Amino acid sequence: MLNDRSSILSLLETRRSVKPRELVGPGPTADELKRILIIAARIPDHGKLMPWRFVSVADDQRDAFAALLQTALKEENPEATDAHRQKENEFAHYAGQLVVLVSAPAENHKIPVWEQQLSSGAAGMNLLMAAHALGYVAGWVTGWRAYSEHVRQAFCGPGERIAGFIFIGHPMRELEERERPELSAVWKPWEPPSV
Ligand SMILES: Cc1cc2nc3c(=O)[nH]c(=O)nc-3n(C[C@H](O)[C@H](O)[C@H](O)COP(=O)(O)O)c2cc1C
Protein backbone atom coordinates (compact mmCIF):
# COMPACT_ATOMS: atom_id res chain seq x y z
CA MET A 1 0.00 0.00 0.00
CA LEU A 2 2.81 2.34 0.99
CA ASN A 3 4.56 1.62 -2.31
CA ASP A 4 1.38 2.37 -4.24
CA ARG A 5 0.94 5.60 -2.38
CA SER A 6 4.51 6.70 -2.94
CA SER A 7 4.33 5.93 -6.65
CA ILE A 8 1.09 7.93 -6.95
CA LEU A 9 2.73 10.83 -5.13
CA SER A 10 5.78 10.53 -7.32
CA LEU A 11 3.59 10.67 -10.43
CA LEU A 12 1.83 13.77 -9.11
CA GLU A 13 5.13 15.39 -8.22
CA THR A 14 6.89 14.70 -11.50
CA ARG A 15 4.28 14.62 -14.28
CA ARG A 16 4.60 17.32 -16.83
CA SER A 17 3.08 18.06 -20.19
CA VAL A 18 4.77 17.52 -23.49
CA LYS A 19 4.46 19.85 -26.45
CA PRO A 20 2.28 17.88 -28.85
CA ARG A 21 4.64 18.66 -31.73
CA GLU A 22 7.35 16.82 -29.80
CA LEU A 23 5.39 13.58 -29.52
CA VAL A 24 6.11 10.31 -31.22
CA GLY A 25 3.75 7.36 -31.46
CA PRO A 26 2.32 5.03 -30.79
CA GLY A 27 -0.61 6.38 -28.82
CA PRO A 28 -2.54 4.24 -26.36
CA THR A 29 -4.22 1.04 -27.50
CA ALA A 30 -8.01 1.03 -27.79
CA ASP A 31 -8.32 -0.57 -24.34
CA GLU A 32 -5.87 1.87 -22.80
CA LEU A 33 -7.72 4.80 -24.33
CA LYS A 34 -10.99 3.57 -22.82
CA ARG A 35 -9.30 3.26 -19.45
CA ILE A 36 -7.89 6.78 -19.74
CA LEU A 37 -11.30 8.20 -20.58
CA ILE A 38 -13.06 6.31 -17.78
CA ILE A 39 -10.54 7.85 -15.37
CA ALA A 40 -10.99 11.26 -17.03
CA ALA A 41 -14.73 11.03 -16.35
CA ARG A 42 -14.16 10.17 -12.68
CA ILE A 43 -13.91 13.71 -11.43
CA PRO A 44 -15.80 16.20 -9.27
CA ASP A 45 -19.03 17.07 -11.08
CA HIS A 46 -21.54 19.07 -9.03
CA GLY A 47 -25.03 17.75 -9.76
CA LYS A 48 -23.82 14.76 -11.84
CA LEU A 49 -24.37 16.74 -15.03
CA MET A 50 -21.42 15.29 -16.95
CA PRO A 51 -20.79 18.72 -18.49
CA TRP A 52 -17.96 17.45 -20.69
CA ARG A 53 -17.40 14.93 -23.45
CA PHE A 54 -14.44 13.38 -25.19
CA VAL A 55 -14.18 13.04 -28.95
CA SER A 56 -11.37 10.82 -30.22
CA VAL A 57 -9.95 11.43 -33.66
CA ALA A 58 -8.67 8.25 -35.30
CA ASP A 59 -5.37 8.12 -37.17
CA ASP A 60 -7.17 7.64 -40.49
CA GLN A 61 -9.26 10.76 -39.79
CA ARG A 62 -6.27 13.09 -39.52
CA ASP A 63 -6.46 14.11 -43.18
CA ALA A 64 -10.12 15.07 -42.69
CA PHE A 65 -9.13 17.03 -39.57
CA ALA A 66 -6.40 18.78 -41.56
CA ALA A 67 -8.91 19.72 -44.27
CA LEU A 68 -11.26 21.07 -41.60
CA LEU A 69 -8.49 23.26 -40.15
CA GLN A 70 -7.60 24.58 -43.61
CA THR A 71 -11.20 25.62 -44.25
CA ALA A 72 -11.45 27.17 -40.79
CA LEU A 73 -8.18 29.04 -41.28
CA LYS A 74 -9.42 30.48 -44.55
CA GLU A 75 -12.45 31.83 -42.69
CA GLU A 76 -10.52 33.14 -39.69
CA ASN A 77 -7.57 34.52 -41.55
CA PRO A 78 -7.87 34.79 -45.33
CA GLU A 79 -4.36 36.33 -45.38
CA ALA A 80 -2.78 33.29 -43.72
CA THR A 81 0.66 32.53 -45.07
CA ASP A 82 1.78 29.24 -46.60
CA ALA A 83 3.85 28.69 -43.47
CA HIS A 84 0.74 29.06 -41.30
CA ARG A 85 -1.22 26.68 -43.49
CA GLN A 86 1.63 24.20 -43.27
CA LYS A 87 1.69 24.58 -39.47
CA GLU A 88 -1.99 23.65 -39.28
CA ASN A 89 -1.39 20.64 -41.47
CA GLU A 90 1.36 19.53 -39.11
CA PHE A 91 -0.90 20.14 -36.10
CA ALA A 92 -3.55 17.87 -37.57
CA HIS A 93 -0.98 15.12 -38.04
CA TYR A 94 0.86 15.27 -34.71
CA ALA A 95 1.76 11.77 -33.53
CA GLY A 96 -0.18 9.83 -30.93
CA GLN A 97 -3.84 9.77 -30.06
CA LEU A 98 -5.86 12.96 -30.33
CA VAL A 99 -8.76 13.51 -27.96
CA VAL A 100 -10.85 16.66 -28.21
CA LEU A 101 -12.15 17.70 -24.80
CA VAL A 102 -15.57 19.31 -25.15
CA SER A 103 -17.11 21.46 -22.44
CA ALA A 104 -20.85 20.76 -22.50
CA PRO A 105 -22.48 22.77 -19.74
CA ALA A 106 -26.22 22.65 -19.07
CA GLU A 107 -27.57 26.19 -19.43
CA ASN A 108 -30.25 27.55 -17.11
CA HIS A 109 -29.45 24.96 -14.49
CA LYS A 110 -29.13 25.66 -10.78
CA ILE A 111 -25.49 24.56 -11.02
CA PRO A 112 -23.70 27.59 -12.48
CA VAL A 113 -22.01 27.19 -15.86
CA TRP A 114 -18.75 28.30 -14.20
CA GLU A 115 -18.79 25.24 -11.96
CA GLN A 116 -19.52 23.02 -14.93
CA GLN A 117 -16.58 24.53 -16.81
CA LEU A 118 -14.35 23.90 -13.80
CA SER A 119 -15.43 20.27 -14.00
CA SER A 120 -14.22 20.17 -17.64
CA GLY A 121 -10.83 21.36 -16.47
CA ALA A 122 -10.78 18.55 -13.91
CA ALA A 123 -11.65 16.04 -16.65
CA GLY A 124 -8.75 17.31 -18.76
CA MET A 125 -6.39 17.08 -15.82
CA ASN A 126 -7.43 13.53 -14.96
CA LEU A 127 -7.04 12.58 -18.60
CA LEU A 128 -3.44 13.83 -18.50
CA MET A 129 -2.77 12.02 -15.24
CA ALA A 130 -4.24 8.74 -16.48
CA ALA A 131 -2.21 8.93 -19.69
CA HIS A 132 0.98 9.50 -17.70
CA ALA A 133 0.12 6.73 -15.22
CA LEU A 134 -0.11 4.33 -18.16
CA GLY A 135 3.38 5.28 -19.31
CA TYR A 136 2.45 7.88 -21.92
CA VAL A 137 2.89 11.63 -21.93
CA ALA A 138 0.27 14.10 -23.07
CA GLY A 139 -0.15 17.72 -24.04
CA TRP A 140 -3.26 19.90 -23.87
CA VAL A 141 -3.41 22.77 -26.35
CA THR A 142 -5.98 25.24 -27.58
CA GLY A 143 -4.96 28.14 -29.83
CA TRP A 144 -7.19 29.74 -32.45
CA ARG A 145 -8.56 26.34 -33.49
CA ALA A 146 -10.31 25.93 -30.16
CA TYR A 147 -12.12 29.24 -30.69
CA SER A 148 -13.00 28.90 -34.36
CA GLU A 149 -16.74 28.54 -34.95
CA HIS A 150 -16.06 26.30 -37.94
CA VAL A 151 -13.96 23.89 -35.86
CA ARG A 152 -16.41 24.12 -32.95
CA GLN A 153 -19.28 22.97 -35.11
CA ALA A 154 -17.29 19.93 -36.24
CA PHE A 155 -16.89 18.68 -32.67
CA CYS A 156 -19.58 20.33 -30.57
CA GLY A 157 -23.31 20.69 -30.31
CA PRO A 158 -25.16 23.90 -29.47
CA GLY A 159 -23.90 25.54 -26.28
CA GLU A 160 -20.77 23.40 -26.23
CA ARG A 161 -17.21 24.51 -26.82
CA ILE A 162 -13.78 23.04 -27.29
CA ALA A 163 -11.83 22.98 -24.03
CA GLY A 164 -8.72 21.58 -25.65
CA PHE A 165 -6.99 19.24 -28.02
CA ILE A 166 -5.13 16.60 -26.03
CA PHE A 167 -2.48 14.52 -27.74
CA ILE A 168 -1.22 11.34 -26.04
CA GLY A 169 1.97 9.58 -27.07
CA HIS A 170 5.64 9.33 -26.14
CA PRO A 171 8.21 12.12 -25.85
CA MET A 172 10.74 12.41 -28.67
CA ARG A 173 13.31 13.64 -26.11
CA GLU A 174 13.65 13.85 -22.38
CA LEU A 175 11.22 16.37 -20.92
CA GLU A 176 12.75 19.41 -19.30
CA GLU A 177 11.27 20.53 -16.04
CA ARG A 178 9.05 23.58 -16.23
CA GLU A 179 9.38 26.35 -13.69
CA ARG A 180 6.87 25.87 -10.87
CA PRO A 181 5.59 28.52 -8.50
CA GLU A 182 7.12 28.93 -5.07
CA LEU A 183 4.49 27.81 -2.62
CA SER A 184 4.66 31.21 -0.94
CA ALA A 185 3.57 32.84 -4.22
CA VAL A 186 0.34 30.87 -4.36
CA TRP A 187 -0.50 30.10 -0.75
CA LYS A 188 -1.17 32.14 2.32
CA PRO A 189 -3.21 31.40 5.40
CA TRP A 190 -6.48 33.33 5.41
CA GLU A 191 -6.51 36.62 7.27
CA PRO A 192 -10.09 37.45 8.21
CA PRO A 193 -10.97 41.07 7.31
CA SER A 194 -11.18 43.37 10.30
CA VAL A 195 -14.79 44.35 11.08
C1 LIG B 1 -6.74 25.20 -21.18
C2 LIG B 1 -5.31 25.06 -21.61
C3 LIG B 1 -4.92 25.48 -22.85
C4 LIG B 1 -3.61 25.35 -23.28
N1 LIG B 1 -3.27 25.77 -24.52
C5 LIG B 1 -1.99 25.66 -24.92
C6 LIG B 1 -1.61 26.08 -26.23
O1 LIG B 1 -2.44 26.50 -27.02
N2 LIG B 1 -0.31 25.96 -26.58
C7 LIG B 1 0.64 25.44 -25.71
O2 LIG B 1 1.81 25.37 -26.08
N3 LIG B 1 0.30 25.02 -24.49
C8 LIG B 1 -0.98 25.11 -24.07
N4 LIG B 1 -1.34 24.66 -22.84
C9 LIG B 1 -0.32 23.97 -22.01
C10 LIG B 1 0.48 24.91 -21.15
O3 LIG B 1 1.02 25.95 -21.90
C11 LIG B 1 1.63 24.16 -20.53
O4 LIG B 1 2.30 23.40 -21.47
C12 LIG B 1 1.19 23.25 -19.46
O5 LIG B 1 0.34 23.93 -18.60
C13 LIG B 1 2.41 22.72 -18.73
O6 LIG B 1 2.09 22.33 -17.44
P1 LIG B 1 2.35 20.86 -16.94
O7 LIG B 1 3.72 20.47 -17.37
O8 LIG B 1 2.19 20.91 -15.46
O9 LIG B 1 1.28 20.00 -17.55
C14 LIG B 1 -2.64 24.78 -22.41
C15 LIG B 1 -3.06 24.35 -21.13
C16 LIG B 1 -4.36 24.47 -20.73
C17 LIG B 1 -4.78 23.99 -19.36
Side-chain angles (χ1 to χ4, degrees):
M1 182 62 192
L2 195 61
N3 271 347
D4 273 350
R5 195 182 297 161
S6 64
S7 57
I8 291 167
L9 285 170
S10 163
L11 177 74
L12 291 167
E13 285 166 343
T14 59
R15 181 214 57 83
R16 70 139 309 173
S17 292
V18 67
K19 288 187 171 60
R21 67 170 177 274
E22 295 182 359
L23 278 176
V24 292
T29 63
D31 282 349
E32 286 173 329
L33 179 62
K34 280 186 197 159
R35 194 169 182 191
I36 288 169
L37 297 179
I38 287 168
I39 293 170
R42 190 182 176 89
I43 40 107
D45 164 16
H46 190 182
K48 290 193 216 150
L49 296 174
M50 292 169 284
W52 22 259
R53 300 190 293 108
F54 313 105
V55 182
S56 56
V57 179
D59 286 352
D60 63 3
Q61 295 176 316
R62 295 301 193 91
D63 286 346
F65 181 44
L68 173 82
L69 292 184
Q70 293 301 330
T71 308
L73 182 60
K74 241 180 239 160
E75 267 179 33
E76 297 282 325
N77 181 4
E79 312 296 315
T81 60
D82 284 352
H84 193 169
R85 283 196 289 276
Q86 176 59 22
K87 191 175 156 201
E88 298 311 319
N89 196 41
E90 286 166 14
F91 181 92
H93 291 96
Y94 284 158
Q97 172 66 55
L98 168 59
V99 176
V100 182
L101 173 61
V102 173
S103 166
E107 300 278 351
N108 305 316
H109 193 281
K110 68 176 178 176
I111 309 293
V113 166
W114 161 237
E115 294 188 18
Q116 299 181 51
Q117 290 170 333
L118 289 175
S119 186
S120 287
M125 189 63 232
N126 248 27
L127 199 163
L128 296 184
M129 288 306 312
H132 282 252
L134 276 168
Y136 295 90
V137 293
W140 174 347
V141 289
T142 47
W144 72 270
R145 317 155 191 101
Y147 302 98
S148 148
E149 179 57 18
H150 190 83
V151 180
R152 193 194 71 76
Q153 284 184 17
F155 290 98
C156 304
E160 298 180 349
R161 60 193 296 191
I162 294 174
F165 300 94
I166 301 179
F167 292 86
I168 308 166
H170 297 279
M172 66 171 61
R173 58 186 174 89
E174 202 177 324
L175 300 184
E176 286 159 22
E177 182 46 335
R178 175 185 168 93
E179 201 181 325
R180 305 292 168 176
E182 290 293 330
L183 186 57
S184 59
V186 292
W187 172 59
K188 65 170 189 171
W190 186 49
E191 291 163 16
S194 45
V195 282

